[in-house]
Amino acid sequence: MNPFFISTPIYYVNAKPHLGHAYTTIVADSINRMHRLQNRQTYFLTGTDEHGDKIVEAAARKNQSPETYAEKISTLFRQIWPLLEIENDRFIRTTDPEHKECVQKILLKVYDSGDIYFGEYGGHYCYGCERFYTEKELVDGLCPDHLEKPKFLQEKNYFFRMTKYLEPLKQHILGNPDFIRPERYRNEVLGMLGDELNDLCISRPKTRLSWGIELPFDHNYVTYVWFDALINYISALGWPDGPDFKKYWSGAHHLVAKDILKPHAVFWPTMLMAAGVPLYRSLRVHGYWTIKETKMSKSLGNVVEPMSMKDKYGVSCFRYFLLREMQFGLDASFSEEALVGRLNADLANDLGNLTNRVLAMTHKYFKGSVPVTGKPQDLDRETIELGLESFREYVRLYENFDFAKALARLWVFVSHLNKYVDQSAPWVLFKEGNADRLQTVMYVLLEGLRKIALHLWPVMPGASEKMLDQLGVKFDLESIDLAAETSHWQGLDAGTLVARKSNLFPRVDLSLDKPEGSKESQKRKKDNDPLVQFEDFQKLEIVTGKITEVNKVQGADKLYKLRVEIGDDKPRQIVAGLADFFAATDLEGREVIVLANLAPKKIRGVMSQGMVLAVRQGDRMSLLKADPGVEPGKRIS
Ligand code: ME8
């Protein structure tokens, strides 16, 4: 069996980890564990991307050097992953000396072969994405991801002859259907290759940016951040001669979200071709976690903190929800209600109750000891067959990155076992003294639970190991034979002692779970109180602003799309119902008051990031503003 290599993107260190980063890293951990469970040799790589404009800007905002800032945020990522039961083999940083050396080696190789040349280029540069956009890629003149107007830059730079490799790349994609998955992203990339793509600008003059890896052939330039970052996937393995590179690279799978499809599906494979390195095996692309239909992202400020979810609901439940809720490849919406819904239905009700009932019956009928199985009847045989088939399908779907479908398939069996308890009614068998049948039924149930717990290890390792422990089994990775587990119904030894009960997945009630008088119930009371507490008011970020641009929103007569400066370097785009009251020219240059931390929302397809405060009297609208001379960005207190 080929060794398995899985990587996540290396995350920018311009902000702390959020749920989107946690999702990708949990998926990587979980698919890696599925391979570990089958005793394959595996390598799981994650890390941080630390060079570039973004990091310099974020560090400057905190009055820190890029080195200090990068170190601080990178440490946060490294500390959080183990708490989410993520077990990576290596955490790479683009500031690691071996990585820098590797990037320079590749640059020199490609330069020497004539695929890097010096030229002049002008283009629309988005600092958020750290890349140039063509006119065609912009939406209403803005970067589609950051909703900001890119800056037009013209300068002399080094270019990678990417266009030379586009046709070979297309042929590779056509000849290898699994190279980019799911299918929709493969088609998207084939579409990109049909468009006119240019050579890739791979340097930045040091006069503009010095926080990067110096070009080995020109000391006045540093490497473009993507050319630096993508190489982490092989520098971590010790390219070209390292034993890990030799062992793992042919089984390399990259995991990313759709935001960075192009760098991974076009830049990276063409870079590998130019450097004479074989291509990775497959690219697996997932969709976005959204909040109320808007992408969760640090630049929009609507992120969910993974640690608060873990602290509130437990790591197992959090991991289960992420893997069960998102259909891999499509967007999924995050809400605590949905998380609690899954926790209660799937974990507390279906699996938790079943485990509790079976453990309690084992104690009642057999003093807690696993019975010897009797002769199976039709109902037992059907159950066993369905179970084995469910486990096989589950593993197949899981290995295909279809996590939600895999878990749904496993839960068909969990639900079946719940029915099986009712149909075979062990309490009646006990009353009737039907010992042989009772032993068979209880063995089918206990062995079913053991197999379920084992198969859940990639999803929730901690809970899986505890559940096995409750069934009297010590989890031992080395001794597991998953192929055997899915072909026969044996494993639990008769006489094994099981726990009295299992409370792994307690129910959660979002509204009534906290008793009267508790801190939480007092908070609930406060939340319903019509009077606003001071700390609630403090949450509102109300600031002075200035309207700098006004445009109509297509198909909505009452709405304007405003560009509002609020002091920081990022102007806001706000959709406001002001068109009935003001001509566009009346609004341009007006000073206003803005609620700046309103959750971003799409209005008529246009993203709105705040609210302009106004007073309406009859058919007159008046805009609030501060006294003359107050600059944009001052907070109202
Ligand atoms: O792009 N939903 O780093 P980054 C799902 N440094 N996943 C999300 C997400 C969301 N709302 N938001 C972020 C970079 N992610 C580069 C990568 S790789 C050589 C260099 C996850 O910090 C997802 O995996 O912006 C996405 O691709 C990644 O974070 C982007 O992380």
Side-chain angles (χ1 to χ4, degrees), residues 13-64:
V13 288
N14 59 343
K16 53 189 184 179
H18 65 68
L19 183 126
H21 306 121
Y23 173 72
T24 316
T25 320
I26 286 171
V27 166
D29 177 71
S30 131
I31 185 81
N32 196 50
R33 283 180 193 265
M34 184 50 96
H35 286 268
R36 289 170 66 193
L37 206 50
Q38 294 172 76
N39 279 314
R40 295 182 186 143
Q41 287 178 308
T42 59
Y43 194 106
F44 165 19
L45 174 68
T46 187
T48 42
D49 186 358
E50 307 187 10
H51 293 124
D53 290 311
K54 270 201 231 262
I55 316 303
V56 175
E57 272 176 29
R61 275 199 292 274
K62 299 271 177 209
N63 278 330
Q64 284 173 7

Short mmCIF file of all heavy atoms in Angstrom, two decimals, residues 13-64:
data_model
loop_
_atom_site.label_atom_id
_atom_site.label_comp_id
_atom_site.label_asym_id
_atom_site.label_seq_id
_atom_site.Cartn_x
_atom_site.Cartn_y
_atom_site.Cartn_z
N VAL A 13 -0.32 34.36 9.13
CA VAL A 13 -0.26 34.68 10.56
C VAL A 13 -0.73 36.12 10.81
O VAL A 13 -0.24 36.77 11.72
CB VAL A 13 1.15 34.45 11.15
CG1 VAL A 13 1.46 32.99 11.27
CG2 VAL A 13 2.21 35.16 10.30
N ASN A 14 -1.67 36.60 9.99
CA ASN A 14 -2.13 37.98 10.23
C ASN A 14 -3.32 38.02 11.20
O ASN A 14 -3.79 39.08 11.54
CB ASN A 14 -2.48 38.70 8.92
CG ASN A 14 -3.55 37.98 8.15
OD1 ASN A 14 -3.81 36.81 8.41
ND2 ASN A 14 -4.19 38.66 7.22
N ALA A 15 -3.82 36.88 11.61
CA ALA A 15 -4.89 36.84 12.62
C ALA A 15 -4.93 35.44 13.21
O ALA A 15 -4.43 34.49 12.61
CB ALA A 15 -6.22 37.18 11.99
N LYS A 16 -5.59 35.33 14.38
CA LYS A 16 -5.57 34.02 15.04
C LYS A 16 -6.51 33.03 14.33
O LYS A 16 -7.37 33.45 13.55
CB LYS A 16 -5.91 34.16 16.52
CG LYS A 16 -7.16 34.89 16.81
CD LYS A 16 -7.23 35.15 18.29
CE LYS A 16 -8.56 35.81 18.56
NZ LYS A 16 -8.83 36.12 19.89
N PRO A 17 -6.34 31.73 14.61
CA PRO A 17 -7.12 30.72 13.90
C PRO A 17 -8.62 30.86 14.12
O PRO A 17 -9.06 31.17 15.24
CB PRO A 17 -6.65 29.39 14.50
CG PRO A 17 -5.64 29.70 15.52
CD PRO A 17 -5.42 31.16 15.60
N HIS A 18 -9.42 30.64 13.07
CA HIS A 18 -10.88 30.62 13.24
C HIS A 18 -11.44 29.29 12.77
O HIS A 18 -10.68 28.39 12.37
CB HIS A 18 -11.53 31.85 12.58
CG HIS A 18 -11.42 31.92 11.09
ND1 HIS A 18 -12.05 31.04 10.25
CD2 HIS A 18 -10.76 32.79 10.29
CE1 HIS A 18 -11.79 31.37 8.99
NE2 HIS A 18 -11.00 32.42 9.00
N LEU A 19 -12.75 29.18 12.78
CA LEU A 19 -13.39 27.90 12.49
C LEU A 19 -13.03 27.35 11.11
O LEU A 19 -12.90 26.14 10.93
CB LEU A 19 -14.90 28.09 12.62
CG LEU A 19 -15.71 26.83 12.42
CD1 LEU A 19 -16.63 26.60 13.59
CD2 LEU A 19 -16.53 26.89 11.15
N GLY A 20 -12.84 28.25 10.11
CA GLY A 20 -12.47 27.80 8.77
C GLY A 20 -11.14 27.06 8.79
O GLY A 20 -11.00 25.97 8.22
N HIS A 21 -10.15 27.62 9.50
CA HIS A 21 -8.85 26.95 9.59
C HIS A 21 -8.99 25.63 10.35
O HIS A 21 -8.39 24.63 10.00
CB HIS A 21 -7.83 27.83 10.33
CG HIS A 21 -7.69 29.20 9.75
ND1 HIS A 21 -7.94 30.34 10.46
CD2 HIS A 21 -7.35 29.61 8.51
CE1 HIS A 21 -7.74 31.39 9.69
NE2 HIS A 21 -7.39 30.97 8.50
N ALA A 22 -9.79 25.68 11.42
CA ALA A 22 -9.97 24.47 12.23
C ALA A 22 -10.60 23.37 11.37
O ALA A 22 -10.19 22.21 11.43
CB ALA A 22 -10.86 24.77 13.44
N TYR A 23 -11.57 23.74 10.54
CA TYR A 23 -12.24 22.73 9.71
C TYR A 23 -11.23 22.00 8.82
O TYR A 23 -11.15 20.77 8.83
CB TYR A 23 -13.33 23.37 8.85
CG TYR A 23 -13.92 22.37 7.86
CD1 TYR A 23 -14.76 21.35 8.31
CD2 TYR A 23 -13.61 22.41 6.50
CE1 TYR A 23 -15.27 20.40 7.43
CE2 TYR A 23 -14.11 21.48 5.62
CZ TYR A 23 -14.95 20.48 6.08
OH TYR A 23 -15.45 19.53 5.21
N THR A 24 -10.46 22.76 8.04
CA THR A 24 -9.52 22.12 7.11
C THR A 24 -8.55 21.22 7.87
O THR A 24 -8.24 20.11 7.43
CB THR A 24 -8.72 23.18 6.31
OG1 THR A 24 -9.61 24.19 5.90
CG2 THR A 24 -8.05 22.57 5.11
N THR A 25 -8.09 21.70 9.01
CA THR A 25 -7.07 20.95 9.74
C THR A 25 -7.69 19.70 10.39
O THR A 25 -7.06 18.64 10.44
CB THR A 25 -6.37 21.88 10.77
OG1 THR A 25 -6.19 23.16 10.15
CG2 THR A 25 -5.03 21.34 11.17
N ILE A 26 -8.94 19.81 10.84
CA ILE A 26 -9.62 18.64 11.40
C ILE A 26 -9.88 17.61 10.28
O ILE A 26 -9.69 16.41 10.47
CB ILE A 26 -10.94 19.06 12.11
CG1 ILE A 26 -10.60 19.73 13.44
CG2 ILE A 26 -11.85 17.86 12.33
CD1 ILE A 26 -11.77 20.38 14.15
N VAL A 27 -10.28 18.08 9.10
CA VAL A 27 -10.50 17.15 7.98
C VAL A 27 -9.20 16.41 7.67
O VAL A 27 -9.18 15.19 7.51
CB VAL A 27 -11.00 17.89 6.72
CG1 VAL A 27 -10.90 17.00 5.49
CG2 VAL A 27 -12.44 18.34 6.90
N ALA A 28 -8.09 17.17 7.60
CA ALA A 28 -6.81 16.54 7.28
C ALA A 28 -6.46 15.50 8.36
O ALA A 28 -6.04 14.38 8.05
CB ALA A 28 -5.71 17.59 7.19
N ASP A 29 -6.66 15.89 9.61
CA ASP A 29 -6.34 14.96 10.71
C ASP A 29 -7.20 13.71 10.60
O ASP A 29 -6.72 12.59 10.77
CB ASP A 29 -6.61 15.65 12.05
CG ASP A 29 -6.37 14.72 13.22
OD1 ASP A 29 -5.20 14.42 13.48
OD2 ASP A 29 -7.35 14.27 13.84
N SER A 30 -8.46 13.93 10.27
CA SER A 30 -9.38 12.81 10.31
C SER A 30 -9.15 11.84 9.15
O SER A 30 -9.16 10.62 9.35
CB SER A 30 -10.79 13.40 10.38
OG SER A 30 -11.61 12.84 9.47
N ILE A 31 -8.88 12.36 7.95
CA ILE A 31 -8.60 11.44 6.82
C ILE A 31 -7.26 10.73 7.08
O ILE A 31 -7.09 9.55 6.77
CB ILE A 31 -8.61 12.18 5.46
CG1 ILE A 31 -8.44 11.21 4.28
CG2 ILE A 31 -7.55 13.25 5.34
CD1 ILE A 31 -9.69 10.52 3.89
N ASN A 32 -6.34 11.45 7.71
CA ASN A 32 -5.06 10.83 8.05
C ASN A 32 -5.26 9.69 9.04
O ASN A 32 -4.69 8.62 8.90
CB ASN A 32 -4.14 11.91 8.65
CG ASN A 32 -2.69 11.46 8.66
OD1 ASN A 32 -2.18 11.02 7.65
ND2 ASN A 32 -2.05 11.56 9.81
N ARG A 33 -6.14 9.92 10.02
CA ARG A 33 -6.40 8.87 11.01
C ARG A 33 -7.07 7.66 10.35
O ARG A 33 -6.84 6.53 10.77
CB ARG A 33 -7.28 9.40 12.14
CG ARG A 33 -6.53 10.25 13.14
CD ARG A 33 -7.48 10.74 14.22
NE ARG A 33 -6.88 11.78 15.02
CZ ARG A 33 -6.26 11.58 16.20
NH1 ARG A 33 -6.18 10.37 16.69
NH2 ARG A 33 -5.76 12.61 16.86
N MET A 34 -7.93 7.92 9.34
CA MET A 34 -8.59 6.80 8.67
C MET A 34 -7.52 5.91 8.01
O MET A 34 -7.63 4.69 8.01
CB MET A 34 -9.59 7.32 7.63
CG MET A 34 -10.39 6.23 6.95
SD MET A 34 -11.15 5.04 8.08
CE MET A 34 -12.80 5.69 8.24
N HIS A 35 -6.47 6.53 7.50
CA HIS A 35 -5.37 5.75 6.91
C HIS A 35 -4.52 5.10 8.00
O HIS A 35 -4.08 3.96 7.85
CB HIS A 35 -4.53 6.63 5.99
CG HIS A 35 -5.23 6.92 4.69
ND1 HIS A 35 -5.07 6.15 3.57
CD2 HIS A 35 -6.15 7.85 4.36
CE1 HIS A 35 -5.84 6.61 2.59
NE2 HIS A 35 -6.51 7.66 3.05
N ARG A 36 -4.33 5.81 9.11
CA ARG A 36 -3.56 5.23 10.22
C ARG A 36 -4.28 3.99 10.77
O ARG A 36 -3.65 3.00 11.12
CB ARG A 36 -3.39 6.25 11.36
CG ARG A 36 -2.44 7.37 10.98
CD ARG A 36 -2.47 8.49 12.01
NE ARG A 36 -1.98 8.11 13.32
CZ ARG A 36 -2.15 8.84 14.42
NH1 ARG A 36 -2.79 10.00 14.35
NH2 ARG A 36 -1.68 8.45 15.58
N LEU A 37 -5.60 4.09 10.78
CA LEU A 37 -6.42 2.98 11.30
C LEU A 37 -6.20 1.73 10.45
O LEU A 37 -6.48 0.62 10.89
CB LEU A 37 -7.89 3.41 11.24
CG LEU A 37 -8.90 2.82 12.20
CD1 LEU A 37 -8.44 2.87 13.63
CD2 LEU A 37 -10.24 3.53 12.07
N GLN A 38 -5.75 1.93 9.21
CA GLN A 38 -5.51 0.78 8.34
C GLN A 38 -4.02 0.45 8.25
O GLN A 38 -3.57 -0.19 7.30
CB GLN A 38 -6.09 1.07 6.97
CG GLN A 38 -7.61 1.18 7.09
CD GLN A 38 -8.25 1.66 5.81
OE1 GLN A 38 -8.38 0.91 4.87
NE2 GLN A 38 -8.64 2.91 5.78
N ASN A 39 -3.31 0.94 9.25
CA ASN A 39 -1.89 0.64 9.37
C ASN A 39 -1.05 1.06 8.18
O ASN A 39 -0.07 0.41 7.83
CB ASN A 39 -1.68 -0.86 9.63
CG ASN A 39 -1.89 -1.13 11.09
OD1 ASN A 39 -1.36 -0.39 11.93
ND2 ASN A 39 -2.70 -2.13 11.41
N ARG A 40 -1.48 2.14 7.51
CA ARG A 40 -0.66 2.67 6.42
C ARG A 40 0.35 3.64 6.98
O ARG A 40 0.13 4.23 8.03
CB ARG A 40 -1.55 3.40 5.40
CG ARG A 40 -2.49 2.43 4.76
CD ARG A 40 -3.35 3.10 3.72
NE ARG A 40 -4.32 2.12 3.27
CZ ARG A 40 -5.58 2.39 2.97
NH1 ARG A 40 -6.04 3.62 3.04
NH2 ARG A 40 -6.39 1.42 2.58
N GLN A 41 1.43 3.85 6.22
CA GLN A 41 2.39 4.86 6.64
C GLN A 41 1.85 6.22 6.21
O GLN A 41 1.46 6.39 5.04
CB GLN A 41 3.72 4.60 5.98
CG GLN A 41 4.38 3.39 6.60
CD GLN A 41 5.68 3.08 5.92
OE1 GLN A 41 5.75 2.96 4.70
NE2 GLN A 41 6.73 2.96 6.71
N THR A 42 1.78 7.15 7.15
CA THR A 42 1.14 8.43 6.83
C THR A 42 2.01 9.60 7.26
O THR A 42 2.85 9.48 8.16
CB THR A 42 -0.21 8.55 7.58
OG1 THR A 42 0.05 8.46 8.98
CG2 THR A 42 -1.20 7.49 7.17
N TYR A 43 1.76 10.74 6.61
CA TYR A 43 2.47 11.98 6.97
C TYR A 43 1.48 13.12 6.83
O TYR A 43 0.87 13.30 5.78
CB TYR A 43 3.65 12.20 6.02
CG TYR A 43 4.64 13.24 6.49
CD1 TYR A 43 5.88 12.86 6.99
CD2 TYR A 43 4.34 14.59 6.43
CE1 TYR A 43 6.81 13.82 7.42
CE2 TYR A 43 5.25 15.55 6.87
CZ TYR A 43 6.48 15.15 7.36
OH TYR A 43 7.39 16.10 7.78
N PHE A 44 1.29 13.86 7.90
CA PHE A 44 0.31 14.94 7.91
C PHE A 44 1.05 16.25 8.21
O PHE A 44 1.66 16.41 9.24
CB PHE A 44 -0.76 14.58 8.96
CG PHE A 44 -1.67 15.70 9.39
CD1 PHE A 44 -1.86 16.87 8.65
CD2 PHE A 44 -2.41 15.57 10.57
CE1 PHE A 44 -2.70 17.88 9.07
CE2 PHE A 44 -3.26 16.57 11.01
CZ PHE A 44 -3.40 17.73 10.25
N LEU A 45 0.94 17.16 7.24
CA LEU A 45 1.69 18.42 7.31
C LEU A 45 0.75 19.62 7.40
O LEU A 45 -0.22 19.73 6.65
CB LEU A 45 2.53 18.56 6.03
CG LEU A 45 3.29 19.87 5.82
CD1 LEU A 45 4.42 20.01 6.83
CD2 LEU A 45 3.87 19.94 4.40
N THR A 46 1.06 20.51 8.34
CA THR A 46 0.36 21.79 8.39
C THR A 46 1.40 22.84 8.80
O THR A 46 2.56 22.51 9.02
CB THR A 46 -0.86 21.76 9.33
OG1 THR A 46 -1.59 22.99 9.19
CG2 THR A 46 -0.48 21.58 10.79
N GLY A 47 1.00 24.10 8.89
CA GLY A 47 1.98 25.12 9.28
C GLY A 47 1.49 26.53 9.06
O GLY A 47 0.28 26.76 8.91
N THR A 48 2.43 27.47 9.04
CA THR A 48 2.06 28.88 8.88
C THR A 48 2.87 29.56 7.79
O THR A 48 4.04 29.26 7.59
CB THR A 48 2.21 29.66 10.21
OG1 THR A 48 3.41 29.26 10.85
CG2 THR A 48 1.04 29.42 11.13
N ASP A 49 2.20 30.50 7.12
CA ASP A 49 2.73 31.25 5.98
C ASP A 49 3.03 32.65 6.52
O ASP A 49 2.11 33.38 6.89
CB ASP A 49 1.60 31.28 4.94
CG ASP A 49 2.02 31.89 3.63
OD1 ASP A 49 3.17 32.34 3.54
OD2 ASP A 49 1.18 31.91 2.70
N GLU A 50 4.30 33.01 6.61
CA GLU A 50 4.65 34.15 7.47
C GLU A 50 5.22 35.37 6.76
O GLU A 50 5.47 36.38 7.39
CB GLU A 50 5.61 33.66 8.56
CG GLU A 50 5.03 32.47 9.31
CD GLU A 50 5.84 32.03 10.51
OE1 GLU A 50 6.75 32.76 10.89
OE2 GLU A 50 5.53 30.96 11.06
N HIS A 51 5.49 35.26 5.43
CA HIS A 51 6.05 36.43 4.74
C HIS A 51 4.95 37.24 4.06
O HIS A 51 3.81 36.81 3.99
CB HIS A 51 7.08 35.97 3.70
CG HIS A 51 8.30 35.36 4.30
ND1 HIS A 51 8.76 34.10 3.98
CD2 HIS A 51 9.16 35.84 5.25
CE1 HIS A 51 9.84 33.82 4.67
NE2 HIS A 51 10.11 34.85 5.47
N GLY A 52 5.34 38.39 3.53
CA GLY A 52 4.42 39.16 2.67
C GLY A 52 3.85 40.41 3.32
O GLY A 52 3.98 40.64 4.53
N ASP A 53 3.19 41.21 2.46
CA ASP A 53 2.64 42.51 2.86
C ASP A 53 1.69 42.44 4.05
O ASP A 53 1.72 43.26 4.95
CB ASP A 53 1.81 43.09 1.70
CG ASP A 53 2.68 43.51 0.54
OD1 ASP A 53 3.67 44.21 0.78
OD2 ASP A 53 2.36 43.14 -0.60
N LYS A 54 0.78 41.44 3.95
CA LYS A 54 -0.27 41.31 4.96
C LYS A 54 0.29 41.24 6.35
O LYS A 54 -0.25 41.79 7.29
CB LYS A 54 -0.94 39.95 4.76
CG LYS A 54 -2.07 39.90 3.85
CD LYS A 54 -2.80 38.63 4.28
CE LYS A 54 -3.08 37.71 3.14
NZ LYS A 54 -4.39 37.84 2.63
N ILE A 55 1.37 40.45 6.49
CA ILE A 55 1.93 40.21 7.81
C ILE A 55 2.61 41.50 8.30
O ILE A 55 2.49 41.88 9.46
CB ILE A 55 2.96 39.04 7.78
CG1 ILE A 55 2.42 37.88 6.95
CG2 ILE A 55 3.39 38.62 9.17
CD1 ILE A 55 1.11 37.30 7.37
N VAL A 56 3.30 42.16 7.36
CA VAL A 56 3.96 43.42 7.72
C VAL A 56 2.92 44.41 8.22
O VAL A 56 3.09 45.04 9.27
CB VAL A 56 4.71 44.00 6.49
CG1 VAL A 56 5.29 45.37 6.81
CG2 VAL A 56 5.79 43.04 6.02
N GLU A 57 1.79 44.49 7.49
CA GLU A 57 0.72 45.43 7.89
C GLU A 57 0.14 45.07 9.25
O GLU A 57 -0.04 45.92 10.12
CB GLU A 57 -0.43 45.37 6.89
CG GLU A 57 -0.27 46.30 5.72
CD GLU A 57 -1.39 46.12 4.72
OE1 GLU A 57 -2.50 45.73 5.12
OE2 GLU A 57 -1.12 46.36 3.54
N ALA A 58 -0.16 43.77 9.43
CA ALA A 58 -0.77 43.34 10.70
C ALA A 58 0.18 43.60 11.86
O ALA A 58 -0.24 44.05 12.93
CB ALA A 58 -1.13 41.86 10.64
N ALA A 59 1.48 43.37 11.64
CA ALA A 59 2.47 43.58 12.70
C ALA A 59 2.56 45.08 13.03
O ALA A 59 2.59 45.46 14.20
CB ALA A 59 3.83 43.04 12.27
N ALA A 60 2.54 45.91 11.97
CA ALA A 60 2.66 47.35 12.17
C ALA A 60 1.47 47.88 12.98
O ALA A 60 1.64 48.74 13.85
CB ALA A 60 2.74 48.06 10.82
N ARG A 61 0.28 47.31 12.71
CA ARG A 61 -0.91 47.75 13.48
C ARG A 61 -0.72 47.49 14.96
O ARG A 61 -1.30 48.16 15.81
CB ARG A 61 -2.16 47.04 12.96
CG ARG A 61 -2.79 47.75 11.75
CD ARG A 61 -4.24 47.32 11.56
NE ARG A 61 -4.34 45.94 11.16
CZ ARG A 61 -4.26 45.51 9.90
NH1 ARG A 61 -4.09 46.37 8.92
NH2 ARG A 61 -4.36 44.23 9.60
N LYS A 62 0.08 46.46 15.31
CA LYS A 62 0.32 46.13 16.72
C LYS A 62 1.64 46.71 17.21
O LYS A 62 2.13 46.30 18.28
CB LYS A 62 0.35 44.62 16.91
CG LYS A 62 -0.92 43.91 16.55
CD LYS A 62 -1.84 43.83 17.74
CE LYS A 62 -3.15 43.19 17.34
NZ LYS A 62 -4.30 43.55 18.03
N ASN A 63 2.27 47.55 16.39
CA ASN A 63 3.56 48.12 16.73
C ASN A 63 4.61 47.06 17.02
O ASN A 63 5.39 47.18 17.98
CB ASN A 63 3.44 49.02 17.98
CG ASN A 63 2.94 50.37 17.58
OD1 ASN A 63 3.20 50.81 16.45
ND2 ASN A 63 2.19 50.99 18.47
N GLN A 64 4.58 45.99 16.23
CA GLN A 64 5.56 44.93 16.46
C GLN A 64 6.34 44.68 15.17
O GLN A 64 5.88 45.02 14.09
CB GLN A 64 4.84 43.63 16.86
CG GLN A 64 4.35 43.66 18.28
CD GLN A 64 3.50 42.46 18.63
OE1 GLN A 64 3.37 41.54 17.86
NE2 GLN A 64 2.92 42.50 19.81
#
